Amino acid sequence: MTDDYEHYEAVVVGAGPGGAAAAATLARNGIETLVLERGVDAGSKNVSGGLLYAEESSPYTIDDLFPGFREEASDREVTEHYIHNIAGRNVKTFDLHDLHHHDTEWADSVLRRKMDSWLAREVHEMTRETGGGLLTEVRVNGLLREGAEIVGVTLDELDPIKADVIIGADGVNSELARDAGLMDWEEPDEWFQGVKAVAQMPEGAIEERFDVDEDEGVAHLFSGDLFENVRGGGFLYTNDQSLSIGTVFHLDSIADQRAEPQELLDNLLTHPLLADWIGDEYTELEYSAKLVPDSKKVAHPSPYRDRLLLVGDAAGQMQAQGPIIKGMNHAVTAGALAAEAFVDAKSRGDTSAAGERYVTKLENEGVMDKLRPTRYRTLGRLGEVGPVASAMNAVTDSVVGRTAISALGDRAESLFNSPFLMGMLPDTRMGYVTVPTVVAEQLGSPVEGESTVEPPELDDRIGDLTYDVDEGNPHIELRDNSFAASGTAVTACPVSAKDFGGGCYRDEYVGSNGTEEHVVSLDTQPCVECGTCAVVADTNWTHPRGGKGVEYEQG
Amino acid sequence: MPEIDPTDHEIAELGPKIKDVDDADELREMLELEESGEDRAPVKTLIESRIEKLEEEDEEVDPSSADLDDMTVADIANLVRDVDDVTVLEDMLEREQAGQDRKTAKGQIEDRIESIEGSEDEAGEELEYVPPEEKHPDLDHPTNDKQWVENIDGGTYRDMWVYCETQHGELIDVSREMLGKARELMDDYNDRYGVSDEVGGSEDSSSGGDEDGNPEDVVAVLIGDGASDLTEEVIAYGADRVVYHEDDRLERFRHEPYTEIFCSMARAGGQVADEDHEDVEWKEYDEPRYTVFPATNNGRDLSALVQGELDSGLASDCSGLYIEEAMISNPAKTGKPGDSKEFDRILHMKRPDFSGFEYSTILCIDKPFRDFHPQGASVIPGSFEIPEADPEREGEVIDFDMDLNDDWFQVEVTDFDTLDSGIDLTGHDVIVAMGRGIGDAPTEGIELGLDLVDAFDDAAFGLSRGVITSSYDFDGHVEQYIGEDRQIGESGQVVEPDVYIAAGISGAIQHKVGMDESDTIIAINTDPDADISGFSDYYIEGDLFEVLPRLTEAVESGELAAAVAEASDD
C-alpha cells in the first residue's frame, strides 16, 4: 500500500553543504522540501580537512545561497598558502599563492559542526515555509521502489516517504548511491583517507605565531619523507581558536603498507617544523577521520537514477588539484544545480527529466571537467602504470633527476603553482614522496628546534570522543572474519591498531589443540564511521541509526 | 525598464526578488527581457506565476452583482467572508434561491448573516444552547454514546492528579519526576491564585488556591496488585493525597480495568460519579483540574483512554509544563466572534516537534456549553528532575473501594516474556573483572577469574567490552559467563564494590567510568604503562595466568582480606 506513504515534492538526504545548497535552492523556488539528517545535529557526523573554496568560475557559491555564511559559519579567510617539502629535518617551502588564488573568490577555514548546524538552521527556516522542514536523528537506509523504479526513501525510524525528486547528499559512504548501484566500495585506489586532529590554541596565539590579523588565516601543506613512503600529504589550517592538522593518504597505499594512519598523523604533529606553531602545550580537542573519493576516478559522469540525484561526496565529487583538495565547493554547486534541474524539469511539466538536466548542467557549468580533467584521463593514468611509474621515480631520484631539480631552483615553485600541471600529476610515489624529498634534500635547509608535542594515544583519542552507542545493534557486520579477508582493517582503520584491544578491529588467534586460526574481531563502539573498513575488509557496512554512533563537536 | 533585469541574476536570487514586485506590467517587461535574453524556463515560470497571482488579487468580485451560478460553494464561502452588509447578503441569498438553490451555498450565506447580526447585538446577550442533534438533524450522532459529553458544564475542578506507574511493584522513575513537577506547580499555583476581594472566601487571607481560596493538592493515583506498599513513597515525593486501588488481577497493566478505575476515582463525589461513589469523604468536586501521565507505553495507552472517557483532550509526549493565563480570541472558545477572553489557571503543555527545533504549546480550554477538564498531559520520561524524597512528609491515603467487573478482564494474558534483566553486578563486596589479557588462553583465563570469585564470600564476575566483542573461542563450560550482561563500563554496568580486581584490563576511559568509584582497585597487567596503573590502589605487574592462582590462594587462606582491610582503614 505505497499509496498511503507520505509524499513530498523533494526529499533531501543529508544536511551537509551539498544537501543544504539543494534544499535552499528548492525552497527558494517554492518546492515543498523535506531534509533528513541522521546526526543529532547537522555537522555532528561530518568531517572535512577544513578549507572551503568559493570559485570565481562557479555558478553558485555558498555565500550566494546563504547570505551571512562567512560571518556566522566559517572561521578565517585563508590568505596565505604554502607547501613544505620535507626530508628529515630539511625543509624547502614553496609559496602556493598562485595555485591557491587561481579561480578563487575566497577560501575560508571551517569546522563542520559549527558550519553545518548553522546551515541547517537556515535550511529549516526556508524549507518549513514550503511545507517541509529539516528533521534530525532520522536515518534514510535505502530507496523505495515501485516495480523497478525509485520513488522514495526508506528509513530506520519512520515509514517510507515518497518524493518527486530525491537529492542524495548522504556523503562519501552514501547508502543511497550504493543501493542505486551508482557507487561501490570495491577498489582502495579510488579513495583517500583523511585523519585530522583539532588542536586548541590560546587566545592571540594564532595571530602571533602565524603573523596574521584576527580575521586572516594560513594554510600549510606538507609532503616528503615524513610519512614513510605512504602516498599522501599533510595539512595545517588556522581556525578561529584552533588548528586543524591532518593527513590525507591514498587508501590503497595505507592498505598495502599496513600503515597506521594515527601514527602518520603523529609524525606530522611531532615534526620540528610545526613546533613553534603548535607551542609547548598541545591540547587535542578532537580526533576524526573520513574517506575522500578520488573524483578523477570515481566522480560519476551521470550521477542519477530515476528520481535520485546524487550530489557531493555521494557522487564522488571531490577534486584533488595537486596538493589542494576541493570538495565542499563542488558539493554546493552540484546541490544547487540538482535543485535547479528539478525546478526546470517541473516547470516543463516532466519532473522525471531532472536527472538528465542535472547531468547537462554539471557538464555545461564545467563542474565535470574540474572533477575529471581530460588531461588526467589521457596523461595521468599512464603515469600510474607500474613500469612507467617506477621508471619516472628512478629518474627523479637519480643523479640526473637531482641535478635537474637543483638546476630548477626556485623555478620549481612556479611549477607547483600550475593548476594545469597539478591536475595532470599521476598518483604515484613520485609526486608525493620522491619529488618533495629530493626537492628538500637539494634545495632545502634544516629547521631548528625540537618538538615537545606528545600526541594522545589512540585509546585516549577514542575516549575523548562522544558516542551514543546503539547497544545490541552493531551497524557494521563482518562477513568474513579471517585475517586474510579483513585483517587490513586492523591497521588501516583510524581507530584500530595492531596490538591495541580497544579499537574496532583487533587481530586474534583462536582455536586450540594445535590448530590456530588468525582472525579479526570487530567492536563497533569506537567507530568513527569513516568507511575505511567497507573498502579494505569484507563487511556489510551501514551507518548507525539516527542519532546513534559518534558525535563530532568540531568536525 | 523594469527595476530588475532578470538576465542579470541567477534563478536562486530571483525567487525572493520577484516576490517583492507588485506591478504586473513591470513583471511583463521582465518576462520580455528574459525571453529575449537567456530564456530560462524556471525564470519565466516564476515571473508568470507572480503575474497570475497579482491579477487574481485585482479581479475583485462584487458580491452584489456576482453571478452565483458560476461560482462553487467554496468561492461563495470566500466571497461572503468579506461582506458586512446584511442587505447585500440577503440579496445574494435570494439570487441563490432563484438560481441553483444549493443548500450548502445558502448555509454559507445564512451563517454569515447570522454572525453579522449576532455581533451587532448588544453585549451581554447569552448564547443559547442548541443540542447538536437539533442543530444538525441530518447528521448521525456518534457522540451520543459518549454519555458524559454534555453533562458537565461549569463543573468544579480541583487538584493535579498524577498517575504513578509501577513496574514489578516499584515506582518507575518518571512517576517520581512527575510528582516532583506536580508539587512544584501546585505550590506555585497555591501561592499565585489567592482569593480576590470580590469573592471573599476563606478567612485566612494568606491562603490561596482555588476560586474560594482553598489550596489545591497533588493527588497521586496508584493502581496495581501491590499499590498499598507504595503510598508512603509517593507522599515522600510530593503527593498530598494518594488514591489507590489494589487487586491481584491488576498485577500487570490491562488497559480496560485501569481506565475504569482511574475514571471512577476521578469522578467520585461529583455530579457524574458512578453509583457507588456518589458520596466520598475525600472529594467533592466533579473531576480533576489537571491530570498528568507518563508517556511510557502503558502510560500513553492509559492517558488516551482516560482523557477520552472523561471527555477532555490530551497533550501527549510533553516535555514542559507550566500554569498561566491565556488570552484567547477563538470564537469557539470565547463564544463571541471578535472578542478576546482571558482564561486563567491554564496548564500550558509544551511538546517537542519532530525536528526538535520547534515546540508546540498545547492548551485545553473549556468552551461554551461544554467543559474540557481535566487538562491532561503525558510526560516524556526524563523531562523533569527526580525530587529529593522527604520521608517526613505527611499525606492522606485513600483506599478506593471498587468492584471490578469481570468483563474488564476478558482479555487474557496467556503468555509473556520477561526481557532478560540479565545479571546485576552491583551491590557485591568484590568484583573480579577480566580483560583482553586473557587472549592467549581465553578459557583458562575465565576459569582463573571464576576461581577467584568463588574464593570470596560475596563476589561477582565482570568483563571488559573487549572480551565480549572478541572472537575468542571459549569452551562450553565458561561460555555462559561471556555476554553483554556482564560488561562493566560506559555501555555496560557501573559498579562500586569495596574491592575491584581488574585482570588484564588496560583501563581505557570507557571502562574506567564503570568502576573508578570502587573503594579499592587492584589491577593485574603485564604492561606497566597501561592506563589502569594510574587509577588503581594496588598495581601488580605480572601475567594474570600466574598472579590469579596465587591471589585465589591468598584469599582462601584469609591473607588478602586482612591486607585489604588494613589498607582501607588507612
Side-chain angles (χ1 to χ4, degrees):
Chain A
M1 284 295 285
T2 53
D3 287 343
D4 288 345
Y5 294 143
E6 212 171 333
H7 172 270
Y8 287 85
E9 280 189 277
V11 166
V12 177
V13 183
T25 309
L26 289 164
R28 278 215 177 84
N29 285 284
I31 308 287
E32 180 196 41
T33 306
L34 177 69
V35 187
L36 301 170
E37 162 61 41
R38 68 187 176 90
V40 287
D41 182 12
S44 66
K45 294 291 184 184
N46 303 350
V47 177
S48 68
L51 274 199
L52 171 57
Y53 280 85
E55 292 186 325
E56 283 160 358
S57 64
S58 172
Y60 288 99
T61 59
I62 196 153
D63 56 336
D64 290 344
L65 294 168
F66 297 96
F69 173 84
R70 298 188 67 199
E71 292 75 38
E72 300 293 334
S74 72
D75 276 30
R76 290 171 187 259
E77 169 157 10
V78 168
T79 50
E80 295 172 52
H81 211 137
Y82 302 97
I83 187 163
H84 307 275
N85 298 280
I86 297 174
R89 279 185 161 273
N90 260 30
V91 176
K92 175 66 188 172
T93 301
F94 290 145
D95 188 341
L96 286 182
H97 182 270
D98 293 346
L99 185 61
H100 175 74
H101 287 281
H102 169 76
D103 194 26
T104 301
E105 196 180 315
W106 51 262
D108 285 358
S109 60
V110 295
L111 288 167
R112 293 292 296 279
R113 179 67 181 264
K114 170 180 161 189
M115 165 176 144
D116 293 16
S117 57
W118 182 84
L119 287 173
R121 282 191 293 275
E122 298 287 303
V123 164
H124 179 63
E125 288 305 318
M126 292 163 86
T127 49
R128 63 198 280 261
E129 303 270 310
T130 68
L134 183 145
L135 302 184
T136 54
E137 298 190 53
V138 176
R139 170 177 165 254
V140 170
N141 58 21
L143 294 161
L144 178 71
R145 290 182 170 84
E146 264 170 20
E149 201 206 338
I150 295 164
V151 296
V153 293
T154 57
L155 307 99
D156 282 348
E157 293 81 9
L158 305 171
D159 285 338
I161 297 173
K162 292 177 74 173
D164 300 333
V165 67
I166 302 142
I167 307 289
D170 49 341
V172 67
N173 298 309
S174 169
E175 287 166 84
L176 295 186
R178 273 137 190 112
D179 189 338
L182 294 168
M183 289 280 252
D184 62 39
W185 275 301
E186 301 301 324
E187 300 300 329
D189 74 354
E190 295 174 348
W191 306 94
F192 301 95
Q193 184 202 61
V195 175
K196 185 174 81 163
V198 178
Q200 192 172 33
M201 285 285 114
E203 211 174 326
I206 291 178
E207 289 75 12
E208 191 183 315
R209 295 176 197 169
F210 293 87
D211 190 24
V212 289
D213 283 345
E214 251 172 53
D215 48 357
E216 286 175 345
V218 190
H220 290 281
L221 301 177
F222 310 92
S223 62
D225 70 355
L226 76 174
F227 303 121
E228 299 153 15
N229 284 336
V230 184
R231 282 181 287 118
F235 61 84
L236 179 155
Y237 305 138
T238 51
N239 305 315
D240 280 346
Q241 278 300 319
S242 61
L243 302 178
S244 288
I245 305 172
T247 47
V248 181
F249 298 102
H250 282 272
L251 185 55
D252 56 329
S253 188
I254 291 207
D256 293 347
Q257 312 214 23
R258 294 282 150 107
E260 296 281 5
Q262 73 283 357
E263 288 175 10
L264 299 177
L265 173 65
D266 293 347
N267 288 357
L268 175 61
L269 287 169
T270 55
H271 194 276
L273 176 61
L274 279 70
D276 287 346
W277 292 329
I278 295 176
D280 294 334
E281 287 276 313
Y282 178 70
T283 309
E284 192 169 295
L285 295 174
E286 187 169 274
Y287 173 75
S288 56
K290 103 179 270 290
L291 278 194
V292 179
D294 184 352
S295 76
K296 295 198 292 299
K297 291 165 183 157
V298 297
H300 202 290
S302 180
Y304 79 95
R305 178 144 302 165
D306 302 336
R307 304 181 191 181
L308 172 70
L309 278 57
L310 300 175
V311 307
D313 273 3
Q317 293 163 343
M318 173 85 211
Q319 176 195 9
Q321 190 179 45
I324 291 185
I325 288 186
K326 294 179 175 177
M328 291 177 278
N329 59 316
H330 294 309
V332 169
T333 307
L337 290 178
E340 211 182 74
F342 177 74
V343 174
D344 289 1
K346 187 190 168 199
S347 76
R348 300 272 171 110
D350 179 12
T351 56
S352 70
E356 279 166 52
R357 286 176 174 275
Y358 172 48
V359 172
T360 311
K361 282 173 190 290
L362 286 175
E363 288 288 344
N364 293 348
E365 298 288 356
V367 179
M368 243 12 247
D369 195 53
K370 288 176 191 163
L371 297 173
R372 302 189 78 133
T374 327
R375 53 190 186 278
Y376 169 80
R377 273 181 250 171
T378 49
L379 286 173
R381 273 280 187 188
L382 177 69
E384 285 166 31
V385 179
V388 183
S390 56
M392 286 165 76
N393 200 39
V395 169
T396 311
D397 205 10
S398 70
V399 179
V400 181
R402 284 174 178 270
T403 315
I405 284 176
S406 298
L408 270 175
D410 280 350
R411 273 185 298 142
E413 184 164 6
S414 61
L415 292 183
F416 269 79
N417 272 303
S418 157
F420 181 79
L421 263 185
M422 286 294 132
M424 191 179 81
L425 260 193
D427 286 332
T428 60
R429 202 156 64 86
M430 189 182 92
Y432 289 107
V433 185
T434 316
V435 170
T437 307
V438 173
V439 164
E441 281 169 359
Q442 300 297 121
L443 304 175
S445 47
V447 280
E448 306 288 322
E450 288 302 326
S451 174
T452 55
V453 173
E454 280 185 29
E457 298 287 329
L458 202 45
D459 56 349
D460 292 327
R461 283 176 162 158
I462 294 168
D464 286 342
L465 285 167
T466 305
Y467 294 95
D468 182 354
V469 180
D470 196 0
E471 284 304 329
N473 265 323
H475 60 281
I476 306 170
E477 221 181 285
L478 255 182
R479 266 203 309 231
D480 183 343
N481 77 340
S482 72
F483 193 82
S486 301
T488 309
V490 175
T491 44
C493 166
V495 287
S496 302
K498 204 168 173 318
D499 300 324
F500 172 51
C504 281
Y505 288 88
R506 293 87 39 113
D507 61 340
E508 288 165 2
Y509 291 88
V510 298
S512 45
N513 305 332
T515 57
E516 205 169 55
E517 227 185 309
H518 194 182
V519 299
V520 292
S521 65
L522 167 63
D523 176 6
T524 55
Q525 173 173 292
C527 177
V528 291
E529 299 161 35
C530 67
T532 298
C533 60
V535 184
V536 304
D538 190 0
T539 63
N540 285 326
W541 203 98
T542 62
H543 290 108
R545 292 191 298 163
K548 297 293 181 182
V550 70
E551 180 190 338
Y552 287 122
E553 315 279 348
Q554 308 284 332
Chain B
M1 275 292 281
E3 209 167 293
I4 306 161
D5 180 352
T7 56
D8 286 348
H9 298 278
E10 295 298 334
I11 297 171
E13 302 171 349
L14 278 171
K17 287 201 166 123
I18 289 174
K19 242 185 251 164
D20 297 334
V21 183
D22 291 327
D23 180 355
D25 291 329
E26 187 176 342
L27 287 162
R28 275 194 205 88
E29 283 174 46
M30 287 170 64
L31 192 59
E32 272 169 37
L33 280 174
E34 179 65 26
E35 276 165 351
S36 56
E38 294 191 36
D39 199 28
R40 290 165 296 185
V43 173
K44 289 193 291 180
T45 320
L46 269 177
I47 302 176
E48 279 163 0
S49 70
R50 179 68 192 160
I51 295 176
E52 205 171 298
K53 193 165 173 229
L54 285 172
E55 298 196 326
E56 243 168 50
E57 284 171 11
D58 292 342
E59 270 176 40
E60 291 274 309
V61 185
D62 181 358
S64 53
S65 60
D67 183 356
L68 299 183
D69 285 351
D70 264 2
M71 299 176 72
T72 64
V73 177
D75 287 339
I76 293 176
N78 285 330
L79 184 60
V80 297
R81 202 178 296 152
D82 300 326
V83 183
D84 295 325
D85 186 342
V86 177
T87 45
V88 173
L89 288 163
E90 279 169 350
D91 178 54
M92 286 174 73
L93 193 59
E94 275 170 33
R95 277 183 287 140
E96 177 62 29
Q97 279 161 347
Q100 290 192 43
D101 197 26
R102 289 163 293 191
K103 196 171 175 186
T104 42
K106 288 189 294 182
Q108 292 292 342
I109 304 171
E110 282 164 358
D111 281 356
R112 181 64 195 163
I113 294 174
E114 201 180 295
S115 71
I116 295 170
E117 293 189 325
S119 67
E120 278 171 3
D121 291 341
E122 285 302 303
E125 165 133 352
E126 289 294 315
L127 289 176
E128 196 188 338
Y129 177 63
V130 186
E133 50 278 11
E134 277 175 38
K135 200 169 174 187
H136 306 288
D138 304 339
L139 289 178
D140 285 345
H141 284 276
T143 51
N144 276 348
D145 56 355
K146 293 180 78 176
Q147 53 182 318
W148 309 110
V149 79
E150 293 141 30
N151 283 22
I152 305 194
D153 171 22
T156 51
Y157 308 100
R158 293 174 56 87
D159 301 345
M160 177 171 281
W161 285 43
V162 178
Y163 173 68
C164 297
E165 185 175 339
T166 60
Q167 238 164 45
H168 301 296
E170 283 181 30
L171 283 184
I172 59 175
D173 279 347
V174 59
S175 301
R176 300 186 180 100
E177 293 160 16
M178 291 187 303
L179 284 167
K181 185 67 185 178
R183 181 74 267 147
E184 178 193 319
L185 286 170
M186 293 315 284
D187 283 347
D188 180 51
Y189 177 98
N190 288 330
D191 281 348
R192 189 139 49 104
Y193 296 107
V195 191
S196 72
D197 292 340
E198 294 161 62
V199 188
S202 87
E203 285 170 23
D204 178 3
S205 62
S206 68
S207 75
D210 66 5
E211 290 80 352
D212 296 325
N214 300 311
E216 295 191 30
D217 292 340
V218 173
V219 179
V221 175
L222 282 166
I223 301 171
D225 63 340
S228 59
D229 299 340
L230 299 171
T231 53
E232 279 176 28
E233 190 178 352
V234 296
I235 290 170
Y237 279 111
D240 299 302
R241 245 180 299 158
V242 195
V243 192
Y244 74 91
H245 183 83
E246 198 168 58
D247 188 303
D248 289 345
R249 289 171 291 178
L250 300 172
E251 182 193 352
R252 85 185 38 254
F253 177 77
R254 310 275 284 274
H255 71 211
E256 188 154 9
Y258 272 65
T259 305
E260 295 285 354
I261 295 165
F262 191 104
C263 291
S264 181
M265 291 171 171
R267 290 171 178 147
Q271 53 174 308
V272 290
D274 4 306
E275 273 176 30
D276 302 337
H277 301 101
E278 280 139 346
D279 279 305
V280 291
E281 275 180 24
W282 53 277
K283 177 171 174 285
E284 285 181 341
Y285 52 90
D286 293 324
E287 283 179 1
R289 187 185 290 279
Y290 312 115
T291 46
V292 194
F293 302 85
T296 54
N297 288 342
N298 294 343
R300 286 185 175 123
D301 190 348
L302 183 69
S303 58
L305 288 165
V306 165
Q307 293 295 113
E309 178 68 25
L310 297 178
D311 262 312
S312 186
L314 171 72
S316 58
D317 291 22
C318 297
S319 61
L321 298 174
Y322 57 96
I323 297 167
E324 213 171 64
E325 296 66 49
M327 185 62 86
I328 302 293
S329 59
N330 180 356
K333 295 294 183 190
T334 61
K336 273 195 203 160
D339 285 0
S340 288
K341 184 175 165 190
E342 186 174 79
F343 291 83
D344 63 3
R345 302 161 200 258
I346 300 298
L347 183 62
H348 287 58
M349 302 172 276
K350 267 180 75 179
R351 65 192 303 273
D353 270 359
F354 232 164
S355 60
F357 271 107
E358 313 259 328
Y359 284 84
S360 312
T361 302
I362 315 273
L363 312 179
C364 183
I365 294 176
D366 294 347
K367 70 178 199 182
F369 313 117
R370 184 175 164 192
D371 289 357
F372 282 93
H373 273 88
Q375 304 173 36
S378 64
V379 170
I380 300 172
S383 302
F384 306 120
E385 297 282 307
I386 297 180
E388 197 81 25
D390 173 8
E392 307 294 312
R393 257 187 74 87
E394 287 181 13
E396 188 186 351
V397 177
I398 294 120
D399 180 357
F400 188 77
D401 189 30
M402 179 175 180
D403 292 328
L404 303 186
N405 190 331
D406 285 337
D407 287 350
W408 299 340
F409 294 92
Q410 279 176 355
V411 176
E412 228 178 289
V413 178
T414 56
D415 194 14
F416 58 87
D417 267 338
T418 307
L419 281 180
D420 200 358
S421 59
I423 290 151
D424 189 0
L425 297 177
T426 57
H428 295 278
D429 295 345
V430 180
I431 292 207
V432 179
M434 313 291 288
R436 290 177 63 86
I438 61 173
D440 289 342
T443 299
E444 195 194 337
I446 298 293
E447 284 171 350
L448 293 175
L450 290 168
D451 288 347
L452 181 57
V453 166
D454 288 342
F456 289 104
D457 289 339
D458 176 28
F461 183 72
L463 293 167
S464 79
R465 187 178 171 94
V467 173
I468 293 157
T469 56
S470 72
S471 50
Y472 297 151
D473 200 4
F474 293 102
D475 287 355
H477 67 285
V478 297
E479 214 170 354
Q480 56 172 308
Y481 294 99
I482 314 300
E484 285 183 6
D485 49 3
R486 288 192 185 271
Q487 185 182 325
I488 291 166
E490 194 178 18
S491 49
Q493 301 188 45
V494 176
V495 296
E496 36 191 277
D498 297 341
V499 179
Y500 188 88
I501 301 172
I505 292 176
S506 66
I509 182 74
Q510 297 92 326
H511 185 78
K512 185 182 174 196
V513 298
M515 44 68 79
D516 71 341
E517 294 291 308
S518 306
D519 280 353
T520 303
I521 297 172
I522 303 171
I524 305 162
N525 207 301
T526 49
D527 175 9
D529 293 330
D531 285 352
I532 200 159
S533 64
F535 54 90
S536 46
D537 300 283
Y538 297 91
Y539 185 76
I540 305 170
E541 186 185 339
D543 185 351
L544 66 93
F545 292 98
E546 289 164 25
V547 176
L548 281 181
R550 288 171 60 189
L551 206 53
T552 305
E553 207 177 296
V555 174
E556 280 169 347
S557 63
E559 290 167 41
L560 185 81
V564 169
E566 198 180 300
S568 31
D569 284 346
D570 294 343

